[in-house]
Amino acid sequence: MSEHRALNRRVVTLPFMLLGVLFLIALYYLGVRFVNGMGFVTNLNGGYAWGLWVVYDIVIGTALACGGYALAVVVYVANKGKYHPLMRPALLASLLGYGLGGLGAFIDMGRYWQFYNILLPWHMNFNAVMLEVGLCVAAYILVLLIEFAPVALEKFGNTNLRQKLNKVLFFFIALGVLLPTMHQSSLGSMLIAMGHKVHPLWQTLYLQPLLAVLTAFTMGFAVVVFEASLSSVGFGRPSETPLLSGLGKAIVGLIAVYLLFRFGEVVVQGKLGLLFAGDLGSLMFLLESALFIYPMVVLMSPGARSNSRLLLWSAVSMLFAGSLYRLNAFLLTYNPGPGYSYFPSVPEIMVTLGLVALEVMVFLYVVKRFPVLHGEKRA
Amino acid sequence: MKRRDFLKASISGAATLCSGGALARPNLEPAPNAVGMLYDSTLCVGCKACVSKCKEVNGMPAVIEGDWYSWDSARDLSSDTLNVIKVYREGEAEVKDRVENGFAFEKRSCMHCVDPGCISVCPVTALRKDAINGIVTYHADACIGCRTCMTGCPYNVPQFDYDNPFGEIHKCQMCNQAGVERINKGQITGCAEACPTGATLFGTREALLQEARRRMSLKPGEIYSYPRGDVSKPHSLYEKPAPEYQQHIWGEKEAGGTNVLHISAIPFDKLGMPPLRERSYASISETVQHTIYNYMALPAVVLGGLTYVVRRNINDDEGDKS
Ligand code: SF4
Ligand code: SF4
């Protein structure tokens, strides 16, 4: 009845245990963070209020988790049903990525025991971009859970509930497209209020939401291509390349639009000179642009689009491009003023690594025990 | 057809965003009875009486950095230091208020912005501005510790107490926080009261602006009667030749203006003030946000369109998908 199957392989393997060790190390540092305070494990300071945890776990992590979002747009909005086989793994990765973002937000929240204030209408500040991000990410995690519920119901054979859920699922799918559009664009808008601290090459003011949502899309597609090609290599399953090459075309268009706005803004605002300043900002901008341009150029040729190696490389390039765009804007070229510097501490890095390890462990467990991956036969 | 619907919705959305002009929110205006301070860098002798008075008012310990134990040697704002005197030094640092081979002092504390970035970005309204006197206060009972205020303040003023597992944000509240309320009781700020030279003056924003403008118009060397304490009712005055002021009142216009004003003989960028334009970033951020989320109308329309399209496409697929 469903074309999805669990992999039914052993869960506790050597890599799984190594990931577990990483997670335990993270747990230790998290203990220190909650008992003694953030200052004992992070290098955050008066100028750099946000470090690796916010910028990787939330800003970059949720964008990496946009696979489910990007694919939902293709499958359900543009009505390209042939991509459906990719949907479940993409949804799972999104759920875990956003879960990690939510967890990261909680860990980084200085007064976490009052987090519920953000849900109390009399506390809400509707001028604050952060309010939109917080509520919208929380709502999206719920929506992802609902979208993924059929998988669990299928496993436990609860057809009655599953049929009921299927009847209303279209509404949650629609929400699952709207919500990421909202908060991914807002993640960009957050940069506006940071004003002069954001490097002029990344401070695009009115364009922030658009650039953020476009890069979230490219990263979402890249993740889908990346995961599908990798799982066919890693689990020795049949290649999904014919499906993926179609996505390649969409990617070319997206990056073209993005670059048009990105460079258009630089030219119109007279910031072209900054590109050749030879400082960190100009270097990073050029690197970031190269990482966007490479996949666009490669995927323009139909030949390359059906070559799984080139597809994989393009996906990797795009993942780095989108991540670097965020990293640059929020951290690397972010300059709060004289006297402040930041580089993540070892514990900060270990916590982030440990959380990613947890994410991978859960992913492995779920695909081995739940009907997530598409069966051998093509639909 | 359905694809066109979706495109239409997105395009009208994008158009609304681009025409933000109609909903643009301008800079906020000063509160009717805004109180503030005027810091005249040329009068400051760097004694830090204001720093220690501030600690006394706020019950905070002295900060010792390096081997300077004689008095508070905090170099920057922190959760234990809400007001700090910083030093500008160039070359030999011989002459006060000279750019080359000179030195100067600069006060750093909350500027009590007219259009505060910290308030605009706080998701839970933990930072609030008094509607009458314009003082920006912090309320820990609302705060979730996300530290967005630190990123949204152009001056890096709010400071989170990272070394405390139950830390909170600390910033100058112009001595008017609950439990202190010096301004409500008719007193002046601790730092202005303690300042021996009148480098830090208390008063209404209006009166302080007038005082600053008077000083701008002085010829270098001209004798001027400098007040101490409250600009409108100084507890004493003293005469002194005027320095050569920069013709710039910091806080008159910057990012919508501030209630704490600075004047100086050294250009402000050299004193570490941020490069700000007249339009506040808070107003741009809110313009973008409210253009997209005006009464949630746009998201609602898009959701309606999406629901319709998705439902159709799922039904189309009904045949071959379970
Ligand atoms: S200086 Fe910073 S903390 Fe003070 S009111 Fe302005 S934005 Fe807020
Ligand atoms: S740290 Fe507290 S005061 Fe600052 S923005 Fe977050 S909730 Fe508001």
Side-chain angles (χ1 to χ4, degrees):
Chain A
M1 148 175 191
S2 161
E3 314 97 1
H4 298 92
R5 300 183 214 302
L7 270 179
N8 272 327
R9 304 209 186 144
R10 210 152 58 87
V11 170
V12 186
T13 57
L14 186 65
F16 190 86
M17 289 195 296
L18 291 179
L19 292 170
V21 172
L22 279 180
F23 177 61
L24 285 180
I25 299 176
L27 269 189
Y28 167 75
Y29 286 123
L30 284 177
V32 180
R33 177 256 173 273
F34 282 104
V35 173
N36 295 331
M38 258 190 275
F40 292 83
V41 282
T42 71
N43 281 343
L44 297 175
N45 54 56
Y48 287 88
W50 290 342
L52 185 66
W53 292 352
V54 168
V55 177
Y56 182 79
D57 301 357
I58 304 170
V59 179
I60 296 177
T62 60
L64 289 174
C66 276
Y69 165 49
L71 209 54
V73 171
V74 176
V75 172
Y76 300 110
V77 181
N79 201 16
K80 299 275 191 264
K82 61 176 169 171
Y83 298 112
H84 204 271
L86 300 177
M87 201 63 220
R88 282 187 176 180
L91 262 184
L92 176 60
S94 292
L95 178 57
L96 294 175
Y98 268 92
L100 175 77
L103 197 62
F106 186 79
I107 288 166
D108 190 80
M109 203 176 280
R111 298 173 65 78
Y112 54 89
W113 64 95
Q114 298 194 140
F115 80 93
Y116 57 84
N117 277 350
I118 203 166
L119 302 171
L120 304 178
W122 55 93
H123 277 310
M124 290 182 187
N125 171 12
F126 292 100
N127 297 328
V129 182
M130 192 52 143
L131 178 76
E132 202 281 318
V133 171
L135 292 182
C136 199
V137 167
Y140 185 51
I141 293 178
L142 287 181
V143 167
L144 280 171
L145 274 173
I146 295 173
E147 284 188 84
F148 197 68
V151 178
L153 294 177
E154 190 177 310
K155 159 137 176 141
F156 299 115
N158 194 335
T159 22
N160 189 10
L161 196 59
R162 210 177 129 214
Q163 270 160 2
K164 273 191 200 140
L165 185 61
N166 269 341
K167 287 222 174 68
V168 290
L169 206 56
F170 69 91
F171 177 70
F172 291 100
I173 292 171
L175 259 184
V177 173
L178 174 69
L179 293 177
T181 314
M182 284 166 68
H183 62 241
Q184 284 299 330
S185 66
S186 288
L187 280 175
S189 303
M190 281 211 300
L191 291 164
I192 302 173
M194 300 186 201
H196 72 275
K197 301 179 192 178
V198 176
H199 189 288
L201 283 173
W202 283 269
Q203 185 49 287
T204 54
L205 298 177
Y206 297 95
L207 281 186
Q208 292 288 19
L210 182 68
L211 293 180
V213 90
L214 284 175
T215 52
F217 250 113
T218 61
M219 290 169 81
F221 281 132
V223 162
V224 173
V225 175
F226 179 79
E227 274 167 1
S229 352
L230 207 66
S231 82
S232 61
V233 177
F235 293 126
R237 310 179 65 256
S239 155
E240 318 251 22
T241 309
L243 291 185
L244 299 180
S245 70
L247 286 181
K249 255 195 256 168
I251 289 172
V252 171
L254 262 177
I255 301 186
V257 174
Y258 166 76
L259 290 175
L260 195 72
F261 277 101
R262 188 83 169 94
F263 279 89
E265 195 267 350
V266 170
V267 171
V268 171
Q269 296 295 332
K271 298 193 271 198
L272 217 50
L274 292 174
L275 285 192
F276 307 103
D279 57 2
L280 181 71
S282 66
L283 214 71
M284 282 299 156
F285 185 93
L286 294 176
L287 180 61
E288 187 189 297
S289 304
L291 286 168
F292 274 115
I293 292 168
Y294 168 76
M296 186 179 75
V297 172
V298 168
L299 297 179
M300 259 192 255
S301 95
R305 280 202 298 271
S306 47
N307 176 331
S308 57
R309 283 262 293 290
L310 281 176
L311 265 176
L312 190 64
W313 278 116
S314 303
V316 170
S317 180
M318 271 198 296
L319 290 179
F320 275 106
S323 305
L324 194 60
Y325 169 65
R326 280 145 208 261
L327 186 68
N328 281 334
F330 279 87
L331 212 52
L332 272 184
T333 66
Y334 182 82
N335 181 8
Y340 292 112
S341 64
Y342 169 83
F343 192 85
S345 68
V346 171
E348 265 176 291
I349 296 172
M350 290 317 292
V351 166
T352 291
L353 280 181
L355 292 182
V356 174
L358 176 69
E359 192 186 344
V360 177
M361 280 157 71
V362 177
F363 186 88
L364 289 176
Y365 171 77
V366 175
V367 296
K368 285 174 181 175
R369 288 292 172 270
F370 288 79
V372 174
L373 296 181
H374 193 248
E376 312 290 299
K377 288 189 302 285
R378 207 44 62 60
Chain B
M1 176 63 198
K2 52 222 170 213
R3 225 180 353 171
R4 207 181 303 148
D5 283 351
F6 179 65
L7 285 180
K8 244 195 247 162
S10 352
I11 289 169
S12 74
T16 327
L17 181 60
C18 295
S19 66
L23 296 147
R25 118 107 149 86
N27 283 350
L28 299 181
E29 292 296 320
N33 238 324
V35 295
M37 292 187 279
L38 172 64
Y39 173 75
D40 185 335
S41 162
T42 69
L43 298 179
C44 180
V45 293
C47 70
K48 300 188 185 178
C50 56
V51 177
S52 94
K53 181 70 188 180
C54 177
K55 301 238 166 164
E56 187 191 313
V57 171
N58 290 284
M60 288 176 168
V63 173
I64 306 298
E65 290 181 32
D67 1 295
W68 196 263
Y69 294 102
S70 325
W71 59 62
D72 199 307
S73 51
R75 296 210 179 112
D76 223 321
L77 297 181
S78 71
S79 51
D80 282 330
T81 306
L82 310 184
N83 166 41
V84 76
I85 298 295
K86 303 189 83 163
V87 192
Y88 163 80
R89 254 193 221 95
E90 210 282 331
E92 304 292 315
E94 287 161 344
V95 182
K96 185 160 188 280
D97 296 328
R98 195 171 69 184
V99 173
E100 274 131 45
N101 288 324
F103 70 96
F105 298 107
E106 170 70 333
K107 189 179 196 277
R108 222 8 85 73
S109 60
C110 176
M111 302 294 285
H112 293 273
C113 301
V114 171
D115 192 349
C118 61
I119 292 185
S120 170
V121 301
C122 175
V124 291
T125 328
L127 289 149
R128 294 166 207 161
K129 186 166 113 164
D130 189 285
I132 309 294
N133 61 27
I135 295 176
V136 178
T137 51
Y138 167 73
H139 304 268
D141 55 338
C143 173
I144 58 172
C146 63
R147 309 189 300 286
T148 318
C149 50
M150 300 176 64
T151 71
C153 167
Y155 304 94
N156 298 315
V157 163
Q159 296 287 324
F160 187 77
D161 187 0
Y162 294 110
D163 291 339
N164 178 345
F166 304 103
E168 53 186 70
I169 290 284
H170 297 269
K171 75 176 265 304
C172 155
Q173 311 189 64
M174 258 220 257
C175 294
N176 214 33
Q177 60 271 37
V180 176
E181 290 146 333
R182 288 173 66 103
I183 310 306
N184 287 353
K185 289 179 192 150
Q187 292 172 282
I188 68 174
T189 52
C191 53
E193 185 185 280
C195 182
T197 65
T200 301
L201 272 183
F202 177 82
T204 62
R205 184 172 195 267
E206 257 329 293
L208 294 169
L209 258 180
Q210 281 167 19
E211 176 70 22
R213 289 197 189 110
R214 274 196 295 277
R215 295 186 192 181
M216 294 289 101
S217 65
L218 296 172
K219 288 187 195 59
E222 191 180 328
I223 301 296
Y224 184 70
S225 187
Y226 285 95
R228 296 187 183 96
D230 185 331
V231 70
S232 307
K233 28 184 191 331
H235 62 70
S236 59
L237 293 150
Y238 68 107
E239 300 205 323
K240 181 187 143 331
E244 191 177 348
Y245 286 109
Q246 291 285 323
Q247 292 297 311
H248 182 178
I249 303 173
W250 183 280
E252 188 178 8
K253 300 247 167 69
E254 280 75 15
T258 53
N259 291 344
V260 174
L261 309 167
H262 285 208
I263 55 176
S264 156
I266 309 273
F268 284 107
D269 57 331
K270 296 222 160 33
L271 294 181
M273 282 300 204
L276 296 179
R277 299 182 213 164
E278 287 190 16
R279 177 102 192 259
S280 74
Y281 286 108
S283 72
I284 301 178
S285 172
E286 289 183 24
T287 297
V288 169
Q289 200 64 356
H290 288 302
T291 306
I292 304 179
Y293 296 106
N294 201 17
Y295 300 110
M296 291 302 281
L298 183 58
V301 170
V302 175
L303 181 60
L306 282 172
T307 313
Y308 171 76
V309 171
V310 170
R311 188 164 191 188
R312 257 187 85 130
N313 290 345
I314 287 187
N315 290 343
D316 279 0
D317 276 0
E318 208 79 302
D320 45 298
K321 294 271 158 354
S322 66

